Amino acid sequence: MAQVGRSIKGKKITFNVAKNCIRITFDGKRRLDLSKMGLTSFPKCILRLNDVDELDLSRNMIRKIPESISKFQNLRWLDLHSNYIDKLPESIGQMTTLLYLNISNNKLTTNGLPVELNQLKNIRTVNLGLNHLDSVPTTLGALKELHEVGLNDNLLKTIPANISKLPKLKKLNTKRNPFPDTEQSTSFIDSIKRMENLYLVDAKDLCGPCLRKCQLARENLNKMKSMVLPGPRKAIFPNLVSPNSMAKDSNEDWRMRTPSW
């Protein structure tokens, strides 16, 4: 992304321009797409369009997200990747309809993530990759509906045990973090592989012995107290895109494929 300097003036948009940027998704949802608009601040006029289902503010130069974003009470999908955001507002916890949150490729630190994130009880995908996190927020452990988490390209040295207790977690990307090379790395990698396979079938479809075997695998996974990954391992989260300045300009290439919920 281009460096933000005093000589660069952000583009301002009007309500009518924003209204014309609403698109209908393949599943009939209303998406307000303001990506690649050259915005340096959150456009307040879009608060009048707070009935949309999806909001895309990615690939701009926005530095701050206001508390008023919580007015988007129907939002299920929020894409803020590739901006200059260093902190999320506490009010994001009020957006309980969110299923997908992408805040990768920003300037977020662990202190910039509010504890109110633990109120997003329905969220399924969170991408925190390409930021400046030096620890994993403990709030993630409270998000029991999480399926996929992106933590790649940060400053992480450990992954807390509460991540293993997320009952529906299937994909975890921790690539390119400064993890120490310990013996626990292998067991953590194996546990994630088991996790990806554990929920491919419903319990009701398994025979008794197979169901018990899966239950024991989950119990063993939950007992892990310390989990770390070495950097050079192959990515285990292939569907979660890691946007950067060299990525393709296509909107779909930047964004993880939106699941059908």
Side-chain angles (χ1 to χ4, degrees), residues 179-190 228-230 233:
F179 294 116
D181 188 11
T182 70
E183 295 179 357
Q184 292 173 327
S185 299
T186 300
S187 61
F188 178 76
I189 293 166
D190 291 341
V228 292
L229 277 175
R233 291 301 297 258

Side-chain angles (χ1 to χ4, degrees), residues 201-216:
V201 295
D202 292 329
K204 63 182 177 61
D205 296 324
L206 293 174
C207 63
C210 291
L211 176 59
R212 183 55 184 161
K213 184 177 180 180
C214 289
Q215 290 172 337
L216 287 174

Side-chain angles (χ1 to χ4, degrees), residues 94-163:
Q94 300 173 26
M95 303 173 69
T96 55
T97 57
L98 271 183
L99 300 176
Y100 173 93
L101 176 62
N102 187 354
I103 45 178
S104 64
N105 200 21
N106 277 283
K107 296 183 178 295
L108 286 169
T109 63
T110 303
N111 291 335
L113 297 175
V115 295
E116 286 78 8
L117 282 174
N118 64 8
Q119 298 173 21
L120 302 180
K121 301 300 184 181
N122 296 308
I123 200 157
R124 302 187 182 186
T125 299
V126 174
N127 189 353
L128 296 168
L130 283 157
N131 279 291
H132 304 294
L133 305 180
D134 56 13
S135 62
V136 179
T138 56
T139 51
L140 290 184
L143 305 179
K144 304 303 183 183
E145 294 298 318
L146 268 180
H147 286 62
E148 308 189 37
V149 178
L151 295 169
N152 56 287
D153 298 279
N154 277 288
L155 304 173
L156 304 175
K157 294 183 179 180
T158 62
I159 301 293
N162 66 347
I163 296 298

